[in-house]
Amino acid sequence: MRTYDFAPLWRSTIGFDRLFDLAETAQRASEDNYPPYNIERLAEDRYQISLAVAGFSPDDIVITAEQNVVTVEGSKSDKSERDFLYRGISHRNFKRQFSLAEYVQVKSAAFDNGLLIIELVREIPEAMKPRRISIGDASTGSVRKLEAKAAA
């Protein structure tokens, strides 16, 4: 895959730091695709990330939510002295990061049949939600009084 140099854009733009960081992160993420994952939209404001983490236990995985990023890290020590003839199940450590939109938060995480399932929900604060403003009836009497005072 081609890599792009964003340096010329850094010199001529202001306030687009987050956008360029996301683009660079997406470029790097395509290089390593382990562990495989799915991102699903369950409802308008509910999402689910499923990671295939075969061979890992819940104790081997750490999930951290910090600002607008969810990080999933898996580390497994190689304690067993087994003699594998073929090893098709990956046993390597990983770190996968997901950038979240504003107001998207981690609701829960569960481990089911080798899948790590992370549920996300978008909760917009009441102050940020659109609200309807009622239109009152302007009394015509107050308008006339102002006009009368201005004419006098």
Side-chain angles (χ1 to χ4, degrees):
M1 180 181 169
R2 293 179 79 170
T3 57
Y4 297 101
D5 182 19
F6 294 107
L9 295 172
W10 281 105
R11 291 190 299 261
S12 61
T13 59
I14 298 170
F16 292 94
D17 306 350
R18 181 159 161 70
L19 178 66
F20 294 136
D21 289 343
L22 286 173
E24 287 177 353
T25 303
Q27 246 180 357
R28 278 183 264 127
S30 64
E31 296 168 1
D32 183 22
N33 57 1
Y34 180 77
Y37 64 93
N38 292 334
I39 300 175
E40 299 175 68
R41 174 181 279 166
L42 303 176
E44 187 173 333
D45 290 333
R46 289 184 53 231
Y47 305 91
Q48 178 175 295
I49 301 171
S50 304
L51 287 100
V53 289
F56 287 86
S57 71
D59 295 333
D60 299 330
I61 298 173
V62 176
I63 303 170
T64 0
E66 184 179 350
Q67 290 187 346
N68 291 348
V69 176
V70 174
T71 305
V72 181
E73 293 181 83
S75 60
K76 192 163 179 121
S77 60
D78 195 10
K79 295 178 183 175
S80 66
E81 296 293 328
R82 299 167 132 179
D83 187 22
F84 288 97
L85 298 177
Y86 173 76
R87 190 170 197 166
I89 299 173
S90 184
H91 196 260
R92 61 184 169 163
N93 298 341
F94 67 88
K95 181 177 181 179
R96 169 83 56 190
Q97 291 185 321
F98 299 94
S99 296
L100 304 178
E102 289 187 58
Y103 311 116
V104 175
Q105 300 174 356
V106 176
K107 181 179 177 185
S108 65
F111 203 82
D112 184 32
N113 294 327
L115 288 177
L116 175 65
I117 299 169
I118 303 170
E119 295 209 21
L120 308 165
V121 65
R122 177 183 295 147
E123 294 178 348
I124 300 174
E126 286 296 322
M128 299 301 289
K129 288 183 181 177
R131 57 189 167 106
R132 187 177 184 116
I133 308 298
S134 61
I135 301 171
D137 186 26
S139 64
T140 55
S142 63
V143 174
R144 286 186 188 157
K145 288 179 187 175
L146 290 175
E147 290 177 0
K149 286 182 183 178

